Amino acid sequence: MNWKHPKTIIGAPAEGDVFYRREYINAQFWRKAARGEHLLISAPRRVGKTSVMKDLEQNCIDGFIAVYSDIESCKNQAEFYRRLYNLLLGLVQKSKRYKTILADFLKSRDIGEINTTGIKIERKDLDFKNELFELIKICGKEDTKIILMLDEFPDVVSAIEKKEGKEAAINVLHTLRNLRHDKSFSNIILVLAGSIGIDHVISSLDRPKLINDLVPITISELDIVEAEELIHQLIDDATMKISTSERAYMIEKISHLLPYYIQVFIDKSDYLLHKENRIELTREDIDRVFNLIIEQNSYFEDWEQRLKRYLPKKDFEYCIGILTRCAHTNQYPLQKAFDFSHKAIPKTPYKSLLDSVLVKDGYLIEKNNNFRFLSPFLKAWWQKRHPEFEIMN
Amino acid sequence: MIYFQASGLSDADIIKQFIVRKKEFEKVISVIKRDDMEGSIQHFIYIGQRGSGKSTLLRRIQAEINTDNQLNKRLIAVNLSEEQAGIYRLYDLWERVCNELSTQKFDIEEPDWDNYSDNPMDYTNALYFSMQKALEKKGKKLVLLLDNIDRILENIKKEENRLFRELMQNHKDFRIIGGSTRLSEHHWKYDEPFYEFFNIIRLLPLNQDEVKELLIFWSEFLEEPSLKQFVGHSEGKLNAVRILSDGMPRTMLHFVELLIKQPNEYGYEYLKMIVDRATPIYQERLGNLSPLQQKVVLEISFFWEAVKVKALSKTAKVESKTLSAVLGQLTDMQILEKVKGEGKNYAYRIKERFFNLWLIMTQGGPKQKNQAKYLTIFLETWYAPEELRNLYEIYSRDLRDKKVSPDRAALMTPAFAHSKHISAAERDDLIEQTKTMVKSDLNYYNQLPPKTSEIYDRVEELIENGKYEKAINHLHSIDQNEHYKSFLLGYINHCKGDIESAVKYYEKAAEEGVGDAIIILGLLYIKKGNLDQVEGFFKRVSKTGYPNGLLTLILMLYKQNKHKEIAALYVNKAVNEFGKMHPRSKPVHMILSLWIGETGIMSEAKVVMHQLGLDESTRTLELLIKGSLVHHQKNIVWNWFQDEKLGEPLKEIVRPLYYTAAHFINSKEAKQVRLSQPPELEETVQSIIENIRERQRFYYPEES
């Protein structure tokens, strides 16, 4: 049989026909961008930030041009400004109108070729920070709005802090804030995105005001209907088949409906069926796939060990207690986490353990003061590892 | 030496010789064929042990791209299988890729290192740009095949990994297909750039059919017909090889070669040779563990059987909590397996038995003393049961023909004696013969285990003296699945009051056909009163065909007036088994039928009574009459006594029952009979009546 695999994508951002677009996220984005608001997309890894941004970049509405870039390798201010400069230049160069406007600017700087990486603009004598300002001044006179989406921005701030010191990091944040408030910048929208909570990075710099003008864009998990649509989209053309009731069961099993987990589940299900030359996915298969994913992730152990290695005993015990409670419930409220801190008595303030360890490091996800496991597979593993009786009084 | 290596083969050869892992290949190549790399680009990593076929897969993908005109129009494959050793920076990788592209006539403008020496990241970018440009010029995208990608990601600094990922996120120039022996932390650590970034394809052990297909192919390809013969004739051994080599093609060839060259070996030297063969595989497995994990694995290996945390903690001298964590890790790594023990605690043992054997034989432990034990384990792991039986036959014959030297006999006899694939009688026979042979040498003589019959004698003596633990230890020295051993273990536990364990062993004995065990078990189950258990037990007994087992059990239920609904299912079958011709068969059938509410059978009662009356089977007659009265059949009974032919002889045989029956009937005739009852029978009749009434209350409590 000529087996047709589903169009899954694992790990890399989903684009084109493998991306499941949620119009309300795009609409929310464009609405805010149209108001000239600068945006912040902060969500754990695997939630699908990059895919959303790439979709926005490729499907700009009229009056906007946009560029997405993962800038995580920038580790000092110079590299950061150079990257921004190149990105902006690369973007506007694509527009005929801007090309004409910028002709003199480019000529004066002896810049000929621009490629997608911007690497060719490597004149060491240029001060890219100033150049960026100059460029923005010219671009700022136009009506078209320019969107710069900078992915993994908090990593860059952290790297700068590490390499050039706290002041340098604060300086970058200051510069960006000033730019956002500069009139000549009014047609440029900054979208800062990252998986390490930017709040966390900023709080370590003790400068919360430097980002409090950014408007958050929320990318939540899929709802059941969306999850079903995504499954349909993935397997539409594939050999494997999943009946309605089995789909519902799969969705129930995955429970935390991030596109990534659905993609993984479909991919592994397809692999199983292909291996066994069967078309129809059964309920037993779904259980098998779920267990297989957990079994093959032998590294879950490290998620526990890591806490043990890095945290003082009491903090460790508190975190384990919280994780076990989250593993055995759908949602674990903050109030209970607080109450539990009076029993486990961690050394570090409980909220800081929740935010800076469990959420930041990808164990839990927080929504409306409720906590849950980010990964359904880690949750299932944790359930087995820490049975419910551990948390019974 | 049979040897197979994928690298160095031509495209045509690799395509021709690619026999297994077809689906794993197909999964990746279908994406490569379908996807134009303008949207999302899926990157893959094959994960599998050494020799699992990763390099072959990567080479196969390369060959497909090289030879498929649709693919090579738009793709170029670069396989860095040999060159990856010197990759320590990301630019090393791009340099090698650029070199490879240059040899394939791509026009690469290599940047000058001197311009970037103060900023290697810029040099990396510049190299990438050159590569990108060269690819664009030819209108091609790159498929980068990276064996041991985990080592590359490990060597490259974290910030370069960030750049690596950044290039993958920002550009659409290349796809990575990697190979790795393990899932490195780059994939599973949340703060690593490549966290859950790749699509992982695990290369699982080959299954039996795949192994056969592969060996037959090799046989033809390498012109080694013995391989094909081996596949055809050694199903059991083939499976042992598959398990031993974890289904990994390369290692499997080594073992198969050994089997072909020395097919009839089975002694300790042979075992040592095989263990030596396994050393590189197992050494690597051990080497991948942390020192603490190694220690725990080794300690568990000495137990051989599954061991609980507490016991292990004591010998390994590792604190329970830490130990539990390590055990969890090792279980997740598939090195250990968790076995549900009694209570809520789990026990652990080494999953692959041969690995356990290798550990105890090579990593210390009391070697000499246990040679025979290892040999037994080896024989049972290495050979299929029927092959082991063959070896036993050969050995037993050689022993009889005095072809075995005393030293060899002193080692081999205990090894076979401990095998569960020979019977207790065969065991005793081997021991007896060997004893006769080595009786002059006390050293050898003492190495021989006692015979089964000797062990049983001793055990019975110990039970009589209430020394249960000692008795149990003795019984465990019998390795064969002996039914009497199971029964005795059940009995000892029963005596000790450990009913749960007793049931477990009785069950085993019952499975092995020990009738007494079936009956005792039935009693225990009926006493405990769990409907499902009783029903399940009946089903089993009805299948085993133990003589009268079913009937005995139904009678137990009857006596206790329990589980009528289960009895109802089996009454007919039980009576049939009991034998329709047996004089008591019908009466018993009738009483049981009455009890379960099947009254139809009573139509035959008169004929039966007639036969019984003539045969003067007093006890059976009594049974039927009393039983009938208990189950409210007073009129039928009365009619028997009133019957023209049957009545008189019946009154003669069971006179007290005649008067008893009259007490249950409210008629003039009956009253007359009661009045005529001789005074000397009064006490007897009263006592029968009371007994019947009492049993009526027992069977029909709702009426009382």
Side-chain angles (χ1 to χ4, degrees), chain A residues 51-298:
Chain A
S51 302
V52 168
M53 285 190 281
K54 288 207 162 198
D55 182 53
L56 291 163
E57 180 199 27
Q58 287 154 19
N59 297 285
C60 259
I61 61 169
D62 285 348
F64 289 88
I65 51 173
V67 64
Y68 160 88
S69 189
D70 176 346
I71 58 167
E72 63 185 295
S73 71
C74 297
K75 55 187 186 303
N76 57 44
Q77 293 182 84
E79 279 176 19
F80 174 68
Y81 291 121
R82 184 173 66 172
R83 177 65 71 89
L84 243 60
Y85 175 77
N86 286 338
L87 270 179
L88 185 57
L89 200 53
L91 176 66
V92 295
Q93 277 276 295
K94 287 179 191 162
S95 144
K96 271 186 191 169
R97 167 114 188 97
Y98 276 112
K99 230 174 180 168
T100 321
I101 297 165
L102 288 169
D104 289 342
F105 176 83
L106 295 174
K107 208 172 172 187
S108 69
R109 280 149 182 89
D110 191 23
I111 295 170
E113 183 190 7
I114 298 170
N115 62 71
T116 42
T117 54
I119 291 159
K120 206 59 181 166
I121 309 159
E122 57 204 20
R123 283 179 45 187
K124 290 178 180 172
D125 54 329
L126 285 182
D127 174 344
F128 284 100
K129 188 175 173 183
N130 283 336
E131 287 298 301
L132 179 66
F133 279 107
E134 290 299 314
L135 186 59
I136 285 171
K137 265 181 204 160
I138 299 170
C139 296
K141 290 174 188 151
E142 290 300 308
D143 290 338
T144 308
K145 284 198 188 288
I146 297 167
I147 297 182
L148 293 180
M149 297 187 228
L150 307 178
D151 205 357
E152 309 300 358
F153 174 73
D155 282 315
V156 177
V157 178
S158 278
I160 293 172
E161 186 193 358
K162 215 167 161 185
K163 207 107 185 167
E164 299 182 324
K166 190 174 170 180
E167 286 311 311
I170 293 172
N171 199 294
V172 166
L173 292 168
H174 255 301
T175 307
L176 290 185
R177 190 182 162 90
N178 289 341
L179 275 176
R180 295 197 295 268
H181 293 273
D182 189 324
K183 274 187 186 163
S184 60
F185 199 76
S186 63
N187 69 335
I188 296 185
I189 309 280
L190 265 187
V191 180
L192 304 179
S195 44
I196 298 180
I198 190 155
D199 303 342
H200 181 75
V201 173
I202 304 297
S203 71
S204 77
L205 296 172
D206 201 21
R207 293 288 192 284
K209 281 185 183 166
L210 294 178
I211 56 154
N212 63 5
D213 61 319
L214 294 170
V215 177
I217 291 277
T218 314
I219 301 173
S220 56
E221 65 178 307
L222 305 181
D223 64 26
I224 291 176
V225 176
E226 290 165 345
E228 283 196 356
E229 281 177 6
L230 173 59
I231 294 172
H232 178 77
Q233 182 178 311
L234 294 175
I235 65 167
D236 189 26
D237 216 15
T239 307
M240 74 178 286
K241 298 276 170 274
I242 318 175
S243 70
T244 318
S245 61
E246 265 59 37
R247 274 181 211 202
Y249 183 64
M250 181 190 280
I251 287 169
E252 186 192 326
K253 196 93 189 168
I254 300 174
S255 83
H256 192 195
L257 301 173
L258 295 183
Y260 172 78
Y261 297 121
I262 294 173
Q263 300 258 11
V264 168
F265 213 96
I266 294 289
D267 186 73
K268 299 294 172 210
S269 302
D270 169 70
Y271 187 65
L272 177 88
L273 292 177
H274 184 210
K275 197 97 183 145
E276 297 181 0
N277 286 321
R278 290 187 290 120
I279 288 176
E280 191 82 31
L281 193 75
T282 66
R283 194 167 272 241
E284 290 73 38
D285 292 332
I286 294 169
D287 289 335
R288 269 173 73 194
V289 168
F290 193 84
N291 292 332
L292 204 72
I293 294 172
I294 295 170
E295 266 171 37
Q296 294 189 344
N297 287 332
S298 53

Side-chain angles (χ1 to χ4, degrees), chain B residues 142-410:
Chain B
L142 170 71
V143 175
L144 186 52
L145 304 152
L146 293 176
D147 208 352
N148 297 317
I149 189 172
D150 53 323
R151 284 192 213 157
I152 295 174
L153 295 180
E154 245 155 51
N155 289 343
I156 293 175
K157 287 180 183 169
K158 189 168 180 176
E159 59 187 41
E160 292 193 319
N161 271 327
R162 285 191 187 286
L163 177 59
F164 199 3
R165 179 175 163 241
E166 193 183 286
L167 293 170
M168 288 159 99
Q169 297 265 66
N170 291 342
H171 304 284
K172 299 181 189 303
D173 303 310
F174 66 101
R175 181 195 306 280
I176 288 184
I177 318 288
S180 174
T181 48
R182 67 203 175 89
L183 197 59
S184 75
E185 63 179 32
H186 294 95
H187 185 80
W188 51 258
K189 264 196 165 167
Y190 190 74
D191 56 354
E192 288 293 333
F194 288 110
Y195 172 70
E196 293 187 339
F197 189 78
F198 293 93
N199 191 338
I200 301 297
I201 302 175
R202 285 186 187 265
L203 303 180
L204 301 175
L206 300 180
N207 63 33
Q208 188 89 333
D209 288 341
E210 287 170 321
V211 168
K212 277 188 193 169
E213 196 180 353
L214 187 66
L215 291 182
I216 290 171
F217 170 79
W218 279 341
S219 171
E220 286 161 5
F221 183 75
L222 302 165
E223 292 173 3
E224 184 80 48
S226 54
L227 261 175
K228 201 170 190 167
Q229 284 163 13
F230 173 75
V231 174
H233 296 108
S234 313
E235 187 94 3
K237 223 175 283 179
L238 190 63
N239 203 30
V241 171
R242 188 175 68 88
I243 292 164
L244 175 59
S245 60
D246 213 8
M248 296 298 151
R250 197 189 301 157
T251 42
M252 215 157 52
L253 258 190
H254 288 284
F255 288 113
V256 171
E257 186 200 14
L258 203 66
L259 285 166
I260 293 169
K261 303 231 164 112
Q262 284 141 314
N264 290 319
E265 292 288 333
Y266 55 89
Y268 193 73
E269 290 307 311
Y270 185 54
L271 165 62
K272 280 208 291 201
M273 189 160 69
I274 290 183
V275 163
D276 284 345
R277 282 283 173 134
T279 294
I281 309 166
Y282 292 143
Q283 197 77 60
E284 189 197 4
R285 189 178 296 180
L286 208 57
N288 283 334
L289 305 178
S290 72
L292 180 58
Q293 288 170 336
Q294 287 188 18
K295 179 184 160 88
V296 171
V297 164
L298 203 56
E299 287 295 341
I300 289 193
S301 77
F302 294 137
F303 279 88
W304 182 255
E305 306 292 345
V307 58
K308 286 188 178 174
V309 180
K310 204 174 164 188
L312 187 63
S313 170
K314 204 171 162 185
T315 54
K317 296 182 183 60
V318 178
E319 180 219 350
S320 289
K321 216 169 177 184
T322 314
L323 187 61
S324 296
V326 176
L327 290 170
Q329 291 160 10
L330 291 166
T331 308
D332 289 341
M333 293 164 90
Q334 310 275 314
I335 287 179
L336 300 185
E337 66 182 342
K338 218 160 43 166
V339 189
K340 183 116 182 65
E342 283 161 26
K344 67 177 183 181
N345 293 326
Y346 284 97
Y348 295 82
R349 68 174 167 230
I350 307 246
K351 195 173 175 194
E352 195 184 310
R353 307 316 280 151
F354 213 97
F355 181 43
N356 197 147
L357 189 61
W358 178 83
L359 283 164
I360 45 182
M361 285 191 65
T362 60
Q363 307 293 307
K367 284 178 207 161
Q368 284 307 108
K369 199 176 137 198
N370 288 324
Q371 269 190 2
K373 183 180 165 192
Y374 303 154
L375 203 48
T376 312
I377 295 166
F378 161 69
L379 290 171
E380 295 202 333
T381 319
W382 192 237
Y383 294 98
E386 65 276 16
E387 289 174 324
L388 192 64
R389 294 266 339 145
N390 281 344
L391 290 180
Y392 157 76
E393 301 287 353
I394 295 169
Y395 176 69
S396 166
R397 195 185 55 222
D398 288 351
L399 200 61
R400 263 197 311 276
D401 298 346
K402 312 231 177 320
K403 285 184 186 165
V404 184
S405 63
D407 60 333
R408 186 167 159 80

